[in-house]
Coordinates of all heavy atoms in Angstrom, one line a residue:
E153 N -21.8 3.6 -12.9 CA -23.0 4.4 -13.3 C -23.9 4.6 -12.1 O -24.9 5.4 -12.2 CB -23.8 3.6 -14.4 CG -23.1 3.6 -15.7 CD -23.6 2.6 -16.7 OE1 -24.6 1.9 -16.4 OE2 -23.1 2.6 -17.8
K154 N -23.7 4.0 -11.0 CA -24.4 4.3 -9.7 C -24.4 5.8 -9.5 O -25.4 6.4 -9.1 CB -23.7 3.5 -8.6 CG -24.0 4.0 -7.2 CD -25.2 3.3 -6.6 CE -25.6 3.8 -5.3 NZ -24.6 4.3 -4.4
D155 N -23.2 6.4 -9.7 CA -23.1 7.8 -9.5 C -23.1 8.5 -10.9 O -22.0 8.9 -11.4 CB -21.8 8.2 -8.8 CG -21.7 7.5 -7.4 OD1 -21.3 6.3 -7.3 OD2 -22.1 8.2 -6.4
F156 N -24.3 8.5 -11.5 CA -24.4 8.8 -12.9 C -23.9 10.2 -13.2 O -23.1 10.4 -14.2 CB -25.8 8.6 -13.4 CG -25.9 8.4 -14.9 CD1 -25.8 7.1 -15.4 CD2 -26.0 9.5 -15.7 CE1 -25.9 6.9 -16.8 CE2 -26.1 9.3 -17.1 CZ -26.0 8.0 -17.6
Q157 N -24.3 11.1 -12.4 CA -23.9 12.5 -12.7 C -22.4 12.7 -12.5 O -21.7 13.3 -13.3 CB -24.6 13.5 -11.7 CG -24.4 14.9 -11.9 CD -25.2 15.8 -11.0 OE1 -25.7 15.3 -10.0 NE2 -25.4 17.1 -11.3
Q158 N -21.8 12.0 -11.5 CA -20.4 12.0 -11.3 C -19.6 11.5 -12.6 O -18.6 12.1 -13.0 CB -20.0 11.2 -10.1 CG -18.5 10.9 -10.0 CD -18.2 10.1 -8.7 OE1 -18.2 10.7 -7.6 NE2 -18.0 8.8 -8.8
L159 N -20.1 10.4 -13.1 CA -19.5 9.8 -14.3 C -19.5 10.8 -15.5 O -18.5 11.0 -16.1 CB -20.3 8.5 -14.7 CG -20.0 7.9 -16.1 CD1 -18.5 7.4 -16.1 CD2 -20.9 6.7 -16.3
L160 N -20.6 11.5 -15.7 CA -20.7 12.5 -16.7 C -19.7 13.7 -16.4 O -19.1 14.2 -17.3 CB -22.1 13.1 -17.0 CG -23.1 12.1 -17.5 CD1 -24.3 12.8 -18.0 CD2 -22.6 11.1 -18.5
V161 N -19.6 14.1 -15.2 CA -18.7 15.2 -14.8 C -17.3 14.8 -15.1 O -16.5 15.6 -15.7 CB -18.9 15.5 -13.3 CG1 -17.8 16.4 -12.7 CG2 -20.2 16.3 -13.0
I162 N -16.9 13.6 -14.8 CA -15.5 13.1 -15.0 C -15.2 13.0 -16.5 O -14.2 13.4 -17.0 CB -15.3 11.8 -14.3 CG1 -15.7 11.8 -12.9 CG2 -13.8 11.3 -14.5 CD1 -14.8 12.5 -11.9
R163 N -16.2 12.5 -17.2 CA -16.0 12.4 -18.7 C -15.7 13.8 -19.3 O -14.9 14.0 -20.1 CB -17.3 11.9 -19.4 CG -17.4 10.4 -19.3 CD -18.0 9.9 -20.7 NE -18.0 8.5 -20.6 CZ -19.0 7.7 -20.3 NH1 -20.2 8.2 -20.1 NH2 -18.8 6.4 -20.3
Q164 N -16.5 14.8 -18.8 CA -16.4 16.1 -19.3 C -15.1 16.7 -18.9 O -14.5 17.4 -19.8 CB -17.6 17.0 -18.7 CG -17.7 18.4 -19.3 CD -18.1 18.3 -20.8 OE1 -19.0 17.5 -21.1 NE2 -17.6 19.1 -21.6
L165 N -14.6 16.5 -17.7 CA -13.4 17.2 -17.3 C -12.2 16.6 -18.1 O -11.3 17.3 -18.4 CB -13.2 17.2 -15.8 CG -12.7 15.9 -15.1 CD1 -11.2 15.8 -15.1 CD2 -13.1 16.0 -13.6
A166 N -12.3 15.2 -18.3 CA -11.2 14.6 -19.1 C -11.2 15.2 -20.5 O -10.1 15.4 -21.0 CB -11.4 13.1 -19.1
R167 N -12.4 15.4 -21.1 CA -12.4 15.9 -22.4 C -11.9 17.4 -22.4 O -11.1 17.8 -23.2 CB -13.9 15.9 -22.9 CG -14.1 16.0 -24.4 CD -15.6 15.9 -24.7 NE -16.2 14.7 -24.2 CZ -17.4 14.7 -23.7 NH1 -18.2 15.8 -23.6 NH2 -17.9 13.6 -23.2
D168 N -12.5 18.2 -21.5 CA -12.1 19.6 -21.5 C -10.7 19.9 -21.2 O -10.1 20.8 -21.7 CB -13.0 20.4 -20.4 CG -14.4 20.5 -20.8 OD1 -14.8 20.2 -22.0 OD2 -15.3 20.8 -20.0
L169 N -10.1 19.1 -20.3 CA -8.7 19.3 -19.9 C -7.7 18.5 -20.8 O -6.5 18.4 -20.6 CB -8.4 18.9 -18.5 CG -9.3 19.8 -17.5 CD1 -9.0 19.3 -16.0 CD2 -8.9 21.3 -17.6
E170 N -8.3 17.8 -21.8 CA -7.5 16.9 -22.7 C -6.6 16.0 -22.0 O -5.4 15.8 -22.3 CB -6.8 17.8 -23.7 CG -7.7 18.6 -24.6 CD -7.1 19.6 -25.5 OE1 -6.7 19.1 -26.6 OE2 -6.9 20.8 -25.1
L171 N -7.2 15.3 -21.0 CA -6.4 14.3 -20.3 C -6.4 13.1 -21.1 O -7.4 12.6 -21.7 CB -7.1 14.0 -18.9 CG -7.2 15.2 -18.0 CD1 -7.9 14.8 -16.6 CD2 -5.9 15.9 -17.7
P172 N -5.2 12.4 -21.3 CA -5.1 11.3 -22.1 C -5.6 10.0 -21.5 O -4.8 9.0 -21.3 CB -3.6 11.2 -22.4 CG -3.0 11.8 -21.2 CD -3.9 12.8 -20.6
V173 N -6.9 10.0 -21.2 CA -7.5 8.8 -20.5 C -8.8 8.5 -21.1 O -9.6 9.4 -21.5 CB -7.6 9.1 -19.0 CG1 -8.5 10.3 -18.7 CG2 -8.1 7.9 -18.2
T174 N -9.2 7.2 -21.1 CA -10.5 6.8 -21.5 C -11.3 6.6 -20.3 O -10.9 5.8 -19.4 CB -10.5 5.5 -22.4 OG1 -9.6 5.8 -23.5 CG2 -11.8 5.1 -22.8
V175 N -12.4 7.3 -20.2 CA -13.3 7.2 -19.0 C -14.3 6.1 -19.3 O -15.1 6.3 -20.3 CB -13.9 8.5 -18.6 CG1 -14.9 8.3 -17.5 CG2 -12.8 9.5 -18.2
V176 N -14.4 5.1 -18.6 CA -15.3 4.0 -18.8 C -16.4 3.9 -17.7 O -16.0 4.1 -16.5 CB -14.5 2.6 -18.8 CG1 -15.5 1.4 -18.9 CG2 -13.6 2.6 -20.0
G177 N -17.6 3.8 -18.1 CA -18.7 3.7 -17.1 C -19.1 2.2 -17.0 O -19.1 1.5 -17.9
A178 N -19.3 1.8 -15.7 CA -19.6 0.4 -15.5 C -21.0 0.3 -14.8 O -21.4 1.2 -14.0 CB -18.6 -0.2 -14.5
P179 N -21.7 -0.8 -15.2 CA -23.1 -0.9 -14.7 C -23.2 -1.0 -13.2 O -22.3 -1.4 -12.5 CB -23.7 -2.1 -15.4 CG -22.5 -2.8 -15.9 CD -21.4 -1.9 -16.0
I180 N -24.4 -0.6 -12.7 CA -24.7 -0.7 -11.2 C -24.8 -2.1 -10.8 O -25.5 -2.9 -11.4 CB -26.0 0.0 -10.9 CG1 -26.0 1.5 -11.4 CG2 -26.3 -0.1 -9.4 CD1 -27.3 2.2 -11.2
V181 N -24.0 -2.5 -9.7 CA -24.2 -3.8 -9.1 C -25.2 -3.7 -8.0 O -25.1 -2.8 -7.2 CB -22.8 -4.3 -8.6 CG1 -22.9 -5.7 -7.9 CG2 -21.8 -4.4 -9.8
R182 N -26.1 -4.7 -8.0 CA -27.2 -4.6 -7.0 C -27.2 -5.9 -6.2 O -26.7 -6.9 -6.6 CB -28.5 -4.5 -7.8 CG -28.7 -3.2 -8.6 CD -30.0 -3.1 -9.3 NE -30.0 -1.9 -10.1 CZ -30.3 -0.7 -9.5 NH1 -30.7 -0.7 -8.2 NH2 -30.3 0.4 -10.2
E183 N -27.8 -5.8 -5.0 CA -28.1 -6.9 -4.2 C -29.2 -7.7 -4.9 O -29.9 -7.2 -5.8 CB -28.7 -6.5 -2.8 CG -27.8 -5.6 -2.0 CD -26.7 -6.4 -1.3 OE1 -26.6 -7.7 -1.5 OE2 -25.9 -5.8 -0.5
P184 N -29.4 -9.0 -4.5 CA -30.4 -9.8 -5.2 C -31.8 -9.2 -5.1 O -32.6 -9.3 -6.1 CB -30.4 -11.1 -4.4 CG -29.0 -11.2 -3.9 CD -28.6 -9.8 -3.6
D185 N -32.1 -8.4 -4.1 CA -33.4 -7.8 -4.0 C -33.5 -6.4 -4.7 O -34.5 -5.7 -4.6 CB -33.9 -7.6 -2.5 CG -32.9 -6.7 -1.7 OD1 -32.0 -6.1 -2.3 OD2 -33.0 -6.8 -0.5
G186 N -32.4 -6.0 -5.4 CA -32.5 -4.8 -6.2 C -31.8 -3.6 -5.6 O -31.5 -2.6 -6.3
L187 N -31.5 -3.6 -4.3 CA -30.8 -2.5 -3.7 C -29.4 -2.3 -4.3 O -28.6 -3.2 -4.4 CB -30.7 -2.6 -2.2 CG -30.0 -1.5 -1.5 CD1 -30.6 -0.2 -1.6 CD2 -29.8 -1.9 0.0
A188 N -29.1 -1.1 -4.8 CA -27.8 -0.8 -5.4 C -26.8 -0.9 -4.2 O -27.0 -0.3 -3.1 CB -27.8 0.6 -6.0
L189 N -25.7 -1.6 -4.4 CA -24.6 -1.7 -3.4 C -24.1 -0.3 -3.2 O -23.9 0.5 -4.1 CB -23.5 -2.6 -3.9 CG -23.8 -4.1 -4.1 CD1 -22.5 -4.9 -4.3 CD2 -24.6 -4.7 -3.0
S190 N -23.8 0.0 -1.9 CA -23.2 1.3 -1.5 C -22.6 1.1 -0.2 O -23.1 0.4 0.7 CB -24.3 2.3 -1.4 OG -23.9 3.4 -0.7
S191 N -21.5 1.8 0.0 CA -20.8 1.7 1.4 C -21.8 2.3 2.4 O -21.8 1.8 3.6 CB -19.5 2.6 1.4 OG -18.7 2.2 0.3
R192 N -22.6 3.2 2.0 CA -23.6 3.8 3.0 C -24.7 2.9 3.4 O -25.4 3.2 4.3 CB -24.1 5.1 2.4 CG -23.1 6.2 2.3 CD -23.7 7.6 2.0 NE -22.8 8.7 2.2 CZ -22.0 9.3 1.3 NH1 -22.1 8.8 0.0 NH2 -21.2 10.2 1.6
N193 N -24.9 1.8 2.7 CA -25.9 0.8 3.1 C -25.6 0.3 4.5 O -26.5 -0.1 5.2 CB -26.0 -0.4 2.1 CG -26.6 0.0 0.8 OD1 -27.1 1.2 0.6 ND2 -26.5 -0.9 -0.2
A194 N -24.4 0.4 4.9 CA -24.0 -0.1 6.3 C -24.7 0.8 7.4 O -24.8 0.3 8.5 CB -22.5 0.0 6.4
Y195 N -25.1 2.0 7.0 CA -25.8 2.8 8.0 C -27.2 2.4 8.3 O -27.8 2.8 9.2 CB -25.9 4.3 7.5 CG -24.6 5.0 7.2 CD1 -24.6 6.0 6.2 CD2 -23.5 4.9 8.0 CE1 -23.5 6.7 5.9 CE2 -22.4 5.6 7.8 CZ -22.3 6.6 6.7 OH -21.2 7.3 6.5

Side-chain angles (χ1 to χ4, degrees):
E153 290 172 359
K154 160 94 186 327
D155 300 86
F156 200 90
Q157 187 175 15
Q158 168 175 282
L159 170 62
L160 295 197
V161 164
I162 307 289
R163 279 219 172 99
Q164 187 69 39
L165 81 81
R167 197 179 307 139
D168 289 348
L169 300 177
E170 297 177 85
L171 301 180
V173 62
T174 302
V175 175
V176 170
I180 302 177
V181 177
R182 298 179 180 280
E183 299 282 5
D185 60 13
L187 176 63
L189 296 192
S190 164
S191 307
R192 290 189 168 97
N193 292 350
Y195 298 146

